[in-house]
């Protein structure tokens, strides 16, 4: 891997490149993530650059999805949204067996999927402020003008919820190992309560703690994991961030209470928070996360992947079902 | 006498800890091995109950389906789904196949039952019991973020 990656980088940079400290990160059923440092000589100086390789796993999403994520990151970086700068996209399997792209390693450290409860309150406050501000900036992007209309979307705002519901129901039908009665019921209820959005925005679709990097003061240096990003209802991101699954200490994403989140978001974006739509997308979020977990288990069972983290993901399903049961008012 | 399952699992764990993990060269490989250790620990704790858990769920599913059929008098279009034409499985793979079939039948009922109907309430009762069973079954191995 190291030598092959070095050959690719040498061809792109135009000088012999050494790949140092190459290490793979655990997790990520739809992407392999490798960290490394590239070293080469340029104008008599030795250059070092910390970089990230994102490669398709042995079986997963379409190649076009990889290219879409690359194009999206390229545009977002140009628009001033804090994302890692992408360098090269390579669709051919000739270099590393599967499509991949290389991007800079942004400064900062990831947090767990909920912001740590023991963190310094000042650090949490800074992260919370950035969390809301970045989300507002994403939702306020003029996506047509910014050339982001290649993202999949609903066609018009009225169809945003239906598009998502149909997409995830299709995935549930395709990937489940067995029916999950609570999901069958949830789909039925969601279908009955389809909301109508008043606008279409860019939706990150995995906006939560654990998907950004922070510096030592708590500032968010980069928002990560844009592979599910699409056009849709901005309340989808709000509902996802509000899921109990990502909450800690009663705080959205472990960062701030729900009312403050809504208020700050409205102030920053000028977009009113529709609590009914948020509730719909919060339930759909739990359904989606359950299906993502099921898909992880399915890839293991089918032998399409072997990362042990995918087995852990399966053990999260009961906790998600507990939240879905609560939201549906299902009790013995 | 031969090594019983918990002993076999413990042996695999010790082998990982003493012989394999120290020789692993990357953080990724060590994380994977540590993950395997945790899952093996889960298996030690539940290997003797795994079939019972499935039997209990299948029994609950069968009872729920029968109760729905009895309550609705077969008038909801769900009578086919409630037919007790499945034999009672006793072993692992058979239990899993039976479970898939019973779950599919309940899903079919959920799709056809009217809002607020007794059938739907009975199905929801099963779901609530199932969540309790599953939550208890993964305690100690399911990841949490706090």
């Amino acid at each position: 891997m190291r030598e092959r990656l070095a050959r690719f980088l040498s061809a792109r940079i135009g000088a012999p490149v050494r790949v140092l400290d190459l290490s793979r990160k655990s997790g990520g059923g739809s992407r392999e993530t490798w960290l490394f440092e590239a070293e080469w000589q340029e104008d008599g100086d030795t250059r070092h650059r910390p970089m990230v390789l994102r490669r398709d796993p042995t079986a997963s999403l379409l190649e076009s999805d990889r290219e879409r994520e690359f194009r999206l990151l390229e545009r977002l970086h140009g628009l001033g949204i804090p994302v890692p700068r992408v360098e090269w996209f390579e669709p051919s399997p000739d270099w590393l067996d599967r499509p991949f792209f290389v991007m800079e390693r942004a400064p900062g450290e990831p947090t767990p999927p909920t912001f740590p409860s023991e963190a310094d309150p000042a650090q949490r406050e800074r992260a919370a402020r950035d969390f809301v501000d970045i989300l507002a900036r994403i939702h306020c992007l003029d996506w047509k003008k910014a050339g982001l209309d290649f993202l999949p979307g609903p066609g018009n705002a009225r169809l945003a919820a239906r598009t998502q519901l149909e997409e995830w129901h299709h995935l549930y039908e395709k990937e489940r190992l067995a029916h999950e009665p609570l999901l069958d019921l949830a789909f039925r209820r969601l279908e009955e309560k389809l909301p109508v959005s008043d606008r279409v925005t860019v939706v990150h679709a995995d906006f939560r703690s654990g998907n950004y990097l922070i510096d030592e003061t708590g500032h968010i240096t980069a928002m990560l994991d844009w592979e599910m990003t699409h056009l849709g209802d901005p309340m989808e991101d709000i509902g996802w961030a509000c899921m109990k699954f990502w909450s800690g200490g009663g705080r959205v994403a472990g960062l701030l209470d729900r009312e403050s989140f809504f208020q700050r978001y409205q102030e920053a974006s000028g977009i009113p928070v529709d609590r009914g739509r948020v509730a719909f997308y919060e339930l759909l979020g739990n359904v989606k996360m359950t299906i993502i977990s099921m898909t992880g288990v399915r890839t293991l069972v089918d032998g399409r992947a072997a990362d042990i983290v995918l087995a852990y993901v399966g053990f999260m399903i009961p906790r998600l079902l507990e939240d879905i049961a609560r939201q549906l008012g299902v009790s013995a | 006498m031969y090594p019983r399952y918990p002993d076999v699992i413990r042996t695999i764990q010790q082998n990982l800890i003493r012989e394999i993990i120290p020789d692993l060269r990357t953080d990724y490989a060590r994380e994977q091995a540590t993950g395997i250790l945790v899952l093996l620990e889960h298996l030690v704790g539940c290997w003797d109950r795994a079939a019972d858990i499935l039997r209990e769920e299948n029994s609950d599913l069968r009872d729920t389906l029968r109760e729905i059929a009895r309550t609705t008098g077969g008038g909801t279009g769900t009578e086919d789904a409630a037919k007790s034409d499945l034999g009672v499985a006793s072993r692992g793979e058979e239990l899993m196949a039976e479970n898939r079939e019973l779950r599919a039948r309940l899903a079919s009922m959920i799709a056809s039952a009217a809002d607020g109907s007794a059938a739907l309430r009975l199905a929801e009762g099963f779901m609530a019991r199932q969540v309790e069973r599953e939550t208890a079954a993964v305690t100690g191995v399911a990841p949490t973020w706090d």
Side-chain angles (χ1 to χ4, degrees), chain B residues 13 20 31 35-36 43 47 54 56 77 86 94-95 100 102 112 116 118 121 124 130 135 137 142:
Chain B
Q13 286 180 308
I20 294 179
E31 284 164 14
I36 293 169
L43 290 180
W47 71 275
L54 261 177
E56 186 184 346
L86 285 172
E94 290 172 7
L95 280 165
R100 282 191 292 272
L102 288 166
S112 59
R121 280 199 301 279
E124 288 179 15
Q130 181 59 12
T135 306

Side-chain angles (χ1 to χ4, degrees), chain A residues 104-109 213-215 219-222:
Chain A
E104 68 163 7
R105 200 185 319 164
E109 294 293 324
L213 303 176
I214 56 167
D215 65 18
H219 280 302
I220 295 178
T221 55

Side-chain angles (χ1 to χ4, degrees), chain A residues 26 179 188-189 307-308 312, chain B residues 31-32 38 103 110 113 124:
Chain A
S26 286
H179 273 278
R188 178 180 164 143
R189 296 275 172 81
D307 191 329
I308 203 72
Y312 279 116
Chain B
E31 284 164 14
Q32 295 290 306
V38 175
R103 280 173 172 245
I110 291 167
E124 288 179 15

Side-chain angles (χ1 to χ4, degrees), chain A residues 101-120:
Chain A
F101 67 74
V102 176
M103 60 187 189
E104 68 163 7
R105 200 185 319 164
E109 294 293 324
T111 70
T114 197
F115 200 83
S117 53
E118 69 277 10
D120 170 22

